[in-house]
Amino acid sequence: MSRRALTLMVAGFLTLMLGVVGALLPVPYVVLSPGPTENTIGDVKGKPVISVEGHPTYPTSGKLSLVTVAYQGGPGNRIDLFSALRGWVDPTVAVVPEETIFPPTSTAEEVEQQNTQEMTNSQDDATAAALTELKIPYNSVVSVASVQKGLPADGKFKAGDEIVSVDGVPAADRETVSAAVRKHKAGEAVTFTVNRGEQSRTVAVPTVAAKDGTPIVGITMQIKYKFPFKVRINVGDVGGPSAGMMFSLGIMDKLTPGAMTGGKAIAGTGTITPEGTVGPIGGIQQKMVGARRAGATVFLTPADNCAEATKAIPDGLKLVKIETLHDAVQAIDAVRTGSGTTPSCPVG
């Protein structure tokens, strides 16, 4: 073999090996793909997704499906370059930088915990939104979610404490409490009336200055609802807030006579507020693919996701633009009856 041929062969072999090694090296990207769907008026592993205790429920039919996104990759479990390349050429998946899913300041475990907490909060908000739409009254209180160690509230509050008033002003919401604290100068005491279980007590807590100078006492707050009956939601290991709207619709279907969908397969996504406002979510294109694969023909789409969604609508799937829970109910009525109009996501 000539020296030239040998040189070319060695160079080709080294190039091939470098390519193989490079392709197998982990890369900081995450592959998003269509995840499983769950029928909110159906069952998961033999148990109802939504169950109600203390209020009449009614049989229903069809599907009101929530949709999910599955992911591969992340800190400690990075994908290789080949996996990323496959994702880039597959129109049903997305490849995104790792930090868009896992912020640099958070571990994978912390992201999972946050998703679980967001799912819990979305279930409570979904129940509140459903009852608001059905005009069923309920109460809400401002509750202590956590206490920061080393700050003035440490030892004076516990997670779960219900804040009744601040300096004599009723704690209508979290902003009311925060505003009352901000009225004080750092070092001044704030007077809280708090319920802990069956006991009520009043406690004075001094403020300290946060890094930006804002007076704080060292608690985080959440809204705790007191519903007139129990609503339980079972979705296994699904996390995040994006199923809120579909939970609300499923709850409403269970609480009212007749099948909301008329037996049709409807899917959708969107966060929900207690007032019924539907918010945008991530992974809309993957969720549409998952919905169509599960047999849905109508997809309830948050208005703020319409522009992205219309870029890749699966064949046979109609997008309906939704801004509020009331919009969703009206759209489903129109689909079921075949009368009325459904606002479509504008194309273009």
Side-chain angles (χ1 to χ4, degrees), residues 65-69 115 118-119 121-123 126 238-247 268-272 278-284 287 299-300 302 305:
S65 297
L66 64 88
V67 286
T68 64
V69 174
N115 286 340
E118 287 178 343
M119 170 59 78
N121 293 343
S122 76
Q123 293 173 2
V238 175
S242 64
M245 177 181 67
M246 299 310 296
F247 286 144
T269 188
T271 63
I272 197 76
V278 174
I281 51 79
I284 186 70
K287 290 178 178 179
F299 191 80
L300 306 177
N305 285 121

Side-chain angles (χ1 to χ4, degrees), residues 37-44 48-51 60 62-67 232-235 243-251 253-254 266 268:
T37 65
E38 299 291 354
N39 181 13
T40 61
I41 52 176
D43 296 342
V44 173
V49 173
I50 296 171
S51 58
T60 187
K63 291 183 178 181
L64 286 168
S65 297
L66 64 88
V67 286
R232 290 191 173 91
I233 299 177
N234 164 46
V235 287
M245 177 181 67
M246 299 310 296
F247 286 144
S248 292
L249 292 170
I251 293 167
D253 200 3
K254 293 254 183 174
I266 296 174

Side-chain angles (χ1 to χ4, degrees), residues 31-198:
V31 175
L32 306 179
S33 57
T37 65
E38 299 291 354
N39 181 13
T40 61
I41 52 176
D43 296 342
V44 173
K45 297 181 180 179
K47 294 183 179 181
V49 173
I50 296 171
S51 58
V52 178
E53 295 179 14
H55 191 282
T57 58
Y58 302 89
T60 187
S61 64
K63 291 183 178 181
L64 286 168
S65 297
L66 64 88
V67 286
T68 64
V69 174
Y71 70 84
Q72 292 177 284
N77 189 34
R78 284 181 169 174
I79 60 173
D80 56 48
L81 184 57
F82 276 146
S83 297
L85 291 173
R86 284 197 299 269
W88 274 314
V89 298
D90 186 341
T92 68
V93 306
V95 180
V96 298
E98 186 177 87
E99 61 268 19
T100 62
I101 307 297
F102 301 95
T105 56
S106 301
T107 65
E109 291 76 14
E110 288 172 338
V111 171
E112 292 290 344
Q113 290 173 0
Q114 180 180 346
N115 286 340
T116 299
Q117 185 60 53
E118 287 178 343
M119 170 59 78
T120 300
N121 293 343
S122 76
Q123 293 173 2
D124 290 340
D125 289 345
T127 302
L131 268 58
T132 298
E133 181 69 17
L134 293 173
K135 295 181 171 54
I136 298 175
Y138 61 90
N139 296 317
S140 62
V141 296
V142 179
S143 173
V144 176
S146 63
V147 182
Q148 299 177 46
K149 291 183 179 181
L151 291 182
D154 190 10
K156 296 188 177 183
F157 289 98
K158 288 184 178 180
D161 285 351
E162 297 176 3
I163 301 174
V164 178
S165 64
V166 187
D167 292 334
V169 178
D173 50 38
R174 286 174 292 186
E175 180 53 35
T176 301
V177 176
S178 297
V181 173
R182 289 196 299 268
K183 287 181 179 179
H184 291 266
K185 295 179 181 179
E188 292 181 347
V190 186
T191 302
F192 292 85
T193 299
V194 177
N195 287 341
R196 181 178 296 173
E198 300 297 323

Side-chain angles (χ1 to χ4, degrees), residues 251-278:
I251 293 167
M252 292 179 66
D253 200 3
K254 293 254 183 174
L255 294 178
T256 53
M260 180 182 286
T261 70
K264 297 182 182 297
I266 296 174
T269 188
T271 63
I272 197 76
T273 68
E275 298 76 27
T277 300
V278 174

Side-chain angles (χ1 to χ4, degrees), residues 284-297:
I284 186 70
Q285 295 183 2
Q286 288 71 48
K287 290 178 178 179
M288 291 190 301
V289 172
R292 189 68 189 102
R293 287 177 179 174
T297 56

